[in-house]
Amino acid sequence: MGAVMSVEPEYAWPRPPAGGYTAEDLDRIPDLPPHTELIDGSLVFVSPQTAFHMRAMRLLEHRLLQVAPPELDIVREMTVTLGKRDRTEPDVMVVRAEALTGPRQTGYRPEDVVLAVEVVSDDSEARDRETKPRKYAASGIPHFWRVEAGEDGWSPVVYVFELEPATRTYAVTGIHHDRLKTDVPFPVDIDLTAVARRV
């Protein structure tokens, strides 16, 4: 008697409509992988994160929560709808606390976001360095941080940007290696070397 082979059903990839998806579609498409983003009407799937990525996000979220004023909140892995065909998911965001609408909320509007933070991964390098900052600036998000791994793979380098409102583009205001110290959007002093340790 031959062995019975188990055949798993093939995954049915979503088929985009003419003109691409819209921001509202992201909540309605069934069985999307976690942390799927929408950029220019196309679905963007996220690769498994690295230990550096996880620890950098955890460090920033933890430290920002400690010092953020009460009118602001720190969220991670939630989306911001930048336009009809753009709904991205910054790794960490500082948002206005009053923008929380309830427990089933899945995202924010650009005007709710004070700071967007992206931790660069190999698969997201072009998006995190070019596409997403350009879209965040055009949407009026006043502050943006880009976090990259240093030469040793652990030491973060944080590039701090501030919106130039007349041109709706970001200007770099600092590059931080071992310590991130800035007064905007509120006073922050973070030991970046802690990313290699349990914090």
Side-chain angles (χ1 to χ4, degrees):
M1 193 175 218
V4 177
M5 292 183 63
S6 171
V7 179
E8 291 191 29
E10 190 173 314
Y11 179 75
W13 292 98
R15 294 176 188 251
Y21 291 107
T22 65
E24 293 80 21
D25 291 332
L26 208 55
D27 286 328
R28 296 191 289 253
I29 303 169
D31 303 322
L32 283 178
H35 313 301
T36 299
E37 297 181 287
L38 184 71
I39 297 179
D40 296 325
S42 296
L43 299 176
V44 177
F45 304 121
V46 179
S47 297
Q49 70 178 2
T50 63
F52 169 80
H53 193 278
M54 177 273 299
R55 285 199 169 185
M57 282 179 26
R58 183 172 66 186
L59 174 68
L60 292 174
E61 178 190 27
H62 181 69
R63 296 294 189 255
L64 289 170
L65 276 168
Q66 290 178 326
V67 297
E71 65 272 14
L72 298 176
D73 195 9
I74 313 304
V75 297
R76 61 184 279 181
E77 302 170 315
M78 290 189 73
T79 60
V80 56
T81 300
L82 304 174
K84 183 178 179 182
R85 302 198 187 291
D86 289 297
R87 189 168 164 193
T88 61
E89 185 180 296
D91 291 309
V92 179
M93 286 189 290
V94 176
V95 299
R96 300 182 201 292
E98 64 191 22
L100 180 63
T101 60
R104 299 190 62 79
Q105 181 173 347
T106 59
Y108 290 89
R109 303 168 304 164
E111 54 266 35
D112 301 327
V113 181
V114 175
L115 166 68
V117 180
E118 294 288 356
V119 180
V120 177
S121 300
D122 290 342
D123 73 314
S124 70
E125 193 173 276
R127 290 191 304 274
D128 291 344
R129 288 179 174 175
E130 300 166 23
T131 306
K132 291 166 87 172
R134 179 173 41 81
K135 289 179 180 290
Y136 294 155
S139 297
I141 295 174
H143 301 279
F144 173 68
W145 295 353
R146 189 182 78 234
V147 183
E148 305 213 19
E151 290 183 9
D152 64 357
W154 275 120
S155 304
V157 180
V158 180
Y159 298 82
V160 174
F161 298 86
E162 191 166 338
L163 185 68
E164 201 288 283
T167 60
R168 290 255 177 156
T169 58
Y170 285 128
V172 66
T173 59
I175 302 173
H176 305 262
H177 292 269
D178 294 324
R179 181 181 181 194
L180 169 57
K181 188 171 184 181
T182 181
D183 290 327
V184 291
F186 47 83
V188 173
D189 190 348
I190 301 174
D191 175 10
L192 295 174
T193 66
V195 82
R197 306 187 298 271
R198 181 178 172 183
V199 293

